[in-house]
Amino acid sequence: MSIPMRPLLAVLAAVAGLIVLDGLVFRSGLYTSLLEPDSSTGVFELILRREQQAQPWYGRNLVVTLGDSRFAYYPRGANEQTAATGFSFRHAGVAGTDARAWYYMLRDLDPTRERYRAVVLGVPDYDDEDGSYDIGDDLATLHYVAARLRLSDVIPFSLSFKDPHARWEAFRGSLLKGIVFQRDILAFLSHPRKRLADIALDAGGFEEWTYGYVDSDRTVVGLKIDWTTLTATVPPGREALLDELKRFVLYRPYPQTGWQAAFRRKWFGQLVDRYRGTATKVVFVRLPRGPIPRPDNLVQKKSSSIREFASRPGVLLVDEHAFDSLERPELFKDAFHLNNTGCARLSVMMAQEVGKLLR
């Protein structure tokens, strides 16, 4: 049975036209400049542009750091140590992101692979521990890096997801970016003047606001955790802290299947491979884990992919206990994030530790 050629050609032409139109709008940078600044993609793009613009301000000894919201330090505080360390620091981390997003951030931030003296990656642990879900199938990454994905990324990016549903969503979202941005487009069309005003405001002040940012002075003093019963007592009025602890800290270890190690080997591996043979070092930092860290004996961790990377040329590890002194309730504002005093102390200590390694 022959297939009618005219309808088939019409369908193929329509699909091709859709891809071309999508590319003209979303791959040309036309719509990227109109993104909601507070959206996942918008914040990612703001930080990328901020760091691109800042690069000429610094000399050859520039260090860029990447991580999620737990990598809470003040670049200005780290840069107060430049006379002693010999290095300047900038932070390209984005809250809620992981190594997959950091790869795409760094690829466009340093296309020649020669802009930075070192790339510092902040992680919660050097050991591989599987948690409640496989971040390898976390589609949030698509929404952070959507504007960075090229046509050549569509297949490899999609195949980096294992779940068939996640793989399909990643495929169609990276091929037709309008699918990812449809809510943003509707919001823009509903209030275009407000969107343009917000974009102009951020364009004028984002560098100053973020470089001069000061975190909360709130603490979790009074927090007590019984690791034998996995229960906690929190300070009065901190019910949200208790809920956070129950969801993310006070749990029996999950079965260790190796997904965390596989994810790290793939995406940290690509970051390490990107700088192989260059003058840029890749440095891993174990961040302060929390106000009262979980005992290591709660779970038997099967591997340490990050320590494996340390055997490669150009990869360095900061002493994993370098910041243990910061793991105190008076230096944290919640279960995971340092407060103002904690951020200030980490800024100095991190700059000194990284500077010592690089020297």
Side-chain angles (χ1 to χ4, degrees):
M1 179 179 176
S2 62
I3 300 175
M5 291 303 296
R6 185 172 295 179
L8 178 60
L9 291 174
V11 169
L12 292 176
V15 171
L18 181 60
I19 293 174
V20 170
L21 179 61
D22 186 89
L24 289 174
V25 176
F26 301 112
R27 296 188 188 277
S28 64
L30 175 63
Y31 189 77
T32 304
S33 62
L34 299 175
L35 284 166
E36 165 59 49
D38 288 336
S39 67
S40 298
T41 318
V43 170
F44 195 91
E45 291 299 301
L46 273 172
I47 291 174
L48 175 66
R49 287 196 297 271
R50 180 194 67 190
E51 294 312 303
Q52 287 173 330
Q53 293 166 1
Q55 286 175 347
W57 306 342
Y58 299 86
R60 294 296 303 165
N61 285 340
L62 179 59
V63 174
V64 66
T65 58
L66 295 104
D68 59 18
S69 60
R70 296 178 71 166
F71 202 166
Y73 83 101
Y74 300 141
R76 67 178 187 280
N79 291 338
E80 289 172 359
Q81 308 299 310
T82 298
T85 66
F87 301 96
S88 299
F89 289 80
R90 296 286 305 190
H91 189 47
V94 183
T97 58
D98 54 37
R100 178 160 41 195
W102 307 343
Y103 170 79
Y104 291 104
M105 168 70 79
L106 200 57
R107 185 181 69 176
D108 285 0
L109 199 56
D110 187 19
T112 63
R113 301 179 301 152
E114 59 184 14
R115 188 62 195 84
Y116 297 108
R117 180 68 180 274
V119 173
V120 177
L121 306 173
V123 296
D125 200 346
Y126 285 169
D127 293 310
D128 305 318
E129 180 181 352
D130 298 335
S132 58
Y133 73 104
D134 188 343
I135 57 174
D137 284 328
D138 188 354
L139 282 167
T141 303
L142 171 63
H143 294 271
Y144 283 108
V145 306
R148 297 294 106 202
L149 294 173
R150 307 163 186 170
L151 282 172
S152 59
D153 294 322
V154 172
I155 298 301
F157 180 76
S158 304
L159 292 179
S160 71
F161 296 82
K162 293 181 294 184
D163 177 74
H165 172 73
R167 185 172 287 184
W168 166 247
E169 291 296 322
F171 173 78
R172 69 177 195 144
S174 55
L175 179 64
L176 298 172
K177 296 187 179 185
I179 295 173
V180 179
F181 296 140
Q182 56 185 328
R183 288 187 180 180
D184 192 275
I185 295 169
L186 291 173
F188 171 66
L189 294 176
S190 299
H191 303 284
R193 294 178 65 179
K194 181 181 183 304
R195 172 72 62 85
L196 294 175
D198 290 345
I199 291 170
L201 184 65
D202 280 325
F206 192 67
E207 165 67 25
E208 181 181 355
W209 301 333
T210 51
Y211 195 75
Y213 175 73
V214 176
D215 215 316
S216 169
D217 288 319
R218 186 173 55 178
T219 73
V220 293
V221 171
L223 171 66
K224 294 180 175 59
I225 296 179
D226 185 337
W227 293 110
T228 59
T229 61
L230 295 177
T231 57
T233 302
V234 299
R238 298 301 301 274
E239 288 75 17
L241 171 62
L242 182 59
D243 180 64
E244 187 178 44
L245 288 166
K246 287 180 178 178
R247 292 171 60 196
F248 302 112
V249 179
L250 302 173
Y251 58 84
R252 297 292 175 188
Y254 294 94
Q256 298 299 292
T257 63
W259 64 255
Q260 175 78 289
F263 181 84
R264 284 179 158 187
R265 289 187 181 114
K266 176 176 177 57
W267 290 105
F268 284 141
Q270 288 191 198
L271 281 168
V272 168
D273 288 343
R274 178 173 172 75
Y275 286 100
R276 179 179 296 175
T278 72
T280 301
K281 306 296 183 185
V282 176
V283 181
F284 287 94
V285 170
R286 193 188 81 167
L287 303 171
R289 295 164 293 176
I292 305 177
R294 294 173 68 226
D296 290 334
N297 61 8
L298 280 186
V299 59
Q300 184 66 41
K301 301 170 185 177
K302 295 183 177 181
S303 62
S304 176
S305 54
I306 289 175
R307 291 190 184 89
E308 293 169 10
F309 288 126
S311 65
R312 301 187 187 184
V315 180
L316 306 171
L317 268 60
V318 169
D319 181 353
E320 66 181 301
H321 299 292
F323 309 127
D324 285 1
S325 63
L326 301 180
E327 297 175 340
R328 295 152 47 188
E330 60 267 32
L331 298 180
F332 275 76
K333 64 180 181 181
D334 57 33
F336 297 108
H337 302 100
L338 293 165
N339 61 18
N340 178 40
T341 303
C343 291
R345 293 187 185 181
L346 177 62
S347 305
V348 174
M349 296 169 69
M350 188 271 296
Q352 292 174 344
E353 291 291 333
V354 172
K356 180 171 62 178
L357 272 183
L358 295 179
R359 289 195 302 274

